[in-house]
Amino acid sequence: MGGAYADGTPSELHVLVDAASGRVRDSWEGVQREGTGNTFHSGSVTVGSTLSGGTYQLADATRGGHRTYDLNGGTSGTGTLVTNTGNVFGDGTLANRQTAAADAAYGAQETWDYYKTTFGRNGIRNDGVGAYSRVHYSTNYANAFWSDSCFCMTYGDGGSGWYPLTSLDVAGHEMSHGVTSNTAGLRYSGESGGLNEATSDIFGTLVEFYAANSKDPGDYLIGEKLRTSGAPLRYMDKPSKDGASADCWSSSVGRLDVHYSSGVANHFFYLLAVGSGSSSYGNSPTCNGSTVAGIGNARAGAIWYRALTTYMTSRTSYAGARTATLSAAKDLYGAGSAEYNTVAAAWSAVSVN
Ligand code: ASN
Ligand code: ZN
Ligand code: CA
């Protein structure tokens, strides 16, 4: 819509109307553009921007109106919307505070596109509404988190030994907590908590592969870009490489922190997608001495997504995850298919029988 406000300021109000209901789903002032994001972790990328009143906002009307804000060290509210007189955000260095914002916008964009392209999922809630992202949270904060209550994503800059927590796998991990919360609702403790965490590691990894960014190529490591030492936070081929995660199920696994009990399902997913033994991605043992041949990320991801959105519930345990993924594989590929049999073999290989 063109026009003008009462004081003569020109308006370019865009209104997105739901074809079925006739209700307004979103509206924004300005003209949708493609800008440049000079990120810290992922190089120079394209990001959605909006030209409004002569400045470019880091706001993406093509992905549910996602916006990126600078908290400027604060811990609440939205700080300030990231804007620039040019259609370029960040310069690839941390001296420029829009660099981390460009990473966050890119992570939200790739996560949105991964779910949309792969599963037809229209945003975290599947309702077409984008979240928003906040960068420069607090001081020396070496973490990132999703919040259901604000429906928003938050990133710290990290402290000594860390870079900003804005890598692709972390963006995909955190926003996938929102997807889990709006689907299976896996309770964040005990075995269901480990499955919740693993779901985020799995889809964070699949977002990283989806983006196919040469500065941050896909791998089965979580957070490999975050520490100055280069050590990742977690390993999917053999989760115990972090010194704390479980490779194999046991009756005590549900007593571990959810970021360590997740190891069993991360290991399962690696075996399902890549297979056991040595490859360019790692070296994955099995808990029962078996050999597993992987079925690839696309089919492994489709099975996990269908299990999460159709069969898992808030109290799903590891035994329940085996049943859920077998049901999903049966739906997608048939009982007795190679995919179905590999799901069974990969769970047995992590001692979930
Ligand atoms: N970054 C952490 C996670 O997503 C935050 C938390 O502990 N929930 O797991
Ligand atoms: Zn998490
Ligand atoms: Ca990774």
Side-chain angles (χ1 to χ4, degrees):
M1 291 179 201
Y5 291 101
D7 68 357
T9 306
S11 164
E12 292 173 272
L13 184 65
H14 297 247
V15 181
L16 188 64
V17 178
D18 188 295
S21 68
R23 278 198 281 270
V24 174
R25 291 207 344 205
D26 196 15
S27 69
W28 64 95
E29 179 68 52
V31 183
Q32 175 63 31
R33 296 290 161 98
E34 292 273 277
T36 298
N38 292 315
T39 72
F40 182 72
H41 294 297
S42 301
S44 184
V45 298
T46 296
V47 290
S49 67
T50 301
L51 176 59
S52 179
T55 60
Y56 293 88
Q57 305 171 333
L58 194 48
D60 188 348
T62 68
R63 296 179 181 86
H66 178 272
R67 288 167 170 76
T68 304
Y69 294 89
D70 184 349
L71 277 174
N72 203 17
T75 56
S76 64
T78 51
T80 52
L81 180 62
V82 174
T83 62
N84 212 306
T85 51
N87 198 6
V88 178
F89 302 90
D91 66 1
T93 77
L94 299 181
N96 183 322
R97 61 188 306 107
Q98 296 196 347
T99 296
D103 280 287
Y106 177 60
Q109 162 182 309
E110 295 305 303
T111 301
W112 178 283
D113 289 353
Y114 167 74
Y115 278 106
K116 188 90 199 297
T117 304
T118 312
F119 306 120
R121 186 177 189 85
N122 202 12
I124 287 167
R125 283 192 304 241
N126 197 23
D127 62 357
V129 176
Y132 63 89
S133 296
R134 311 185 299 178
V135 295
H136 304 304
Y137 173 85
S138 192
T139 304
N140 294 332
Y141 183 70
N143 211 334
F145 60 92
W146 167 258
S147 166
D148 282 322
S149 50
C150 62
F151 198 66
C152 78
M153 221 1 264
T154 304
Y155 299 92
D157 292 328
S160 171
W162 294 81
Y163 299 119
L165 280 280
T166 51
S167 61
L168 273 172
D169 52 4
V170 169
H173 173 109
E174 301 302 344
M175 286 183 271
S176 294
H177 278 309
V179 174
T180 296
S181 164
N182 283 282
T183 55
L186 289 159
R187 196 174 65 111
Y188 205 56
S189 65
E191 292 195 12
S192 59
L195 291 165
N196 184 322
E197 263 304 303
T199 296
S200 280
D201 282 350
I202 289 165
F203 289 123
T205 291
L206 294 178
V207 166
E208 190 179 271
F209 273 99
Y210 171 81
N213 183 301
S214 62
K215 294 282 183 358
D216 186 8
D219 53 41
Y220 299 87
L221 309 169
I222 308 301
E224 70 281 359
K225 304 276 283 182
L226 302 183
R227 294 202 266 216
T228 55
S229 69
L233 299 177
R234 291 184 288 278
Y235 304 78
M236 297 177 81
D237 63 331
K238 187 180 180 189
S240 64
K241 280 158 81 175
D242 68 3
S245 289
D247 292 335
C248 308
W249 185 85
S250 71
S251 57
S252 62
V253 85
R255 293 201 284 273
L256 295 176
D257 178 274
V258 293
H259 301 86
Y260 305 138
S261 57
S262 57
V264 176
N266 280 346
H267 188 197
F268 159 81
F269 188 83
Y270 184 97
L271 290 169
L272 181 64
V274 182
S276 60
S278 183
S279 79
S280 59
Y281 291 118
N283 192 357
S284 195
T286 57
C287 308
N288 60 356
S290 65
T291 299
V292 178
I295 62 172
N297 277 342
R299 286 178 287 178
I303 290 166
W304 195 270
Y305 183 78
R306 183 164 177 82
L308 180 78
T309 55
T310 307
Y311 295 110
M312 291 185 190
T313 64
S314 62
R315 301 277 173 159
T316 295
S317 63
Y318 268 109
R322 179 182 169 114
T323 308
T325 48
L326 283 170
S327 298
K330 183 177 165 202
D331 297 343
L332 294 169
Y333 306 107
S337 60
E339 292 84 355
Y340 181 95
N341 292 337
T342 306
V343 169
W347 279 124
S348 296
V350 297
S351 306
V352 178
N353 294 294

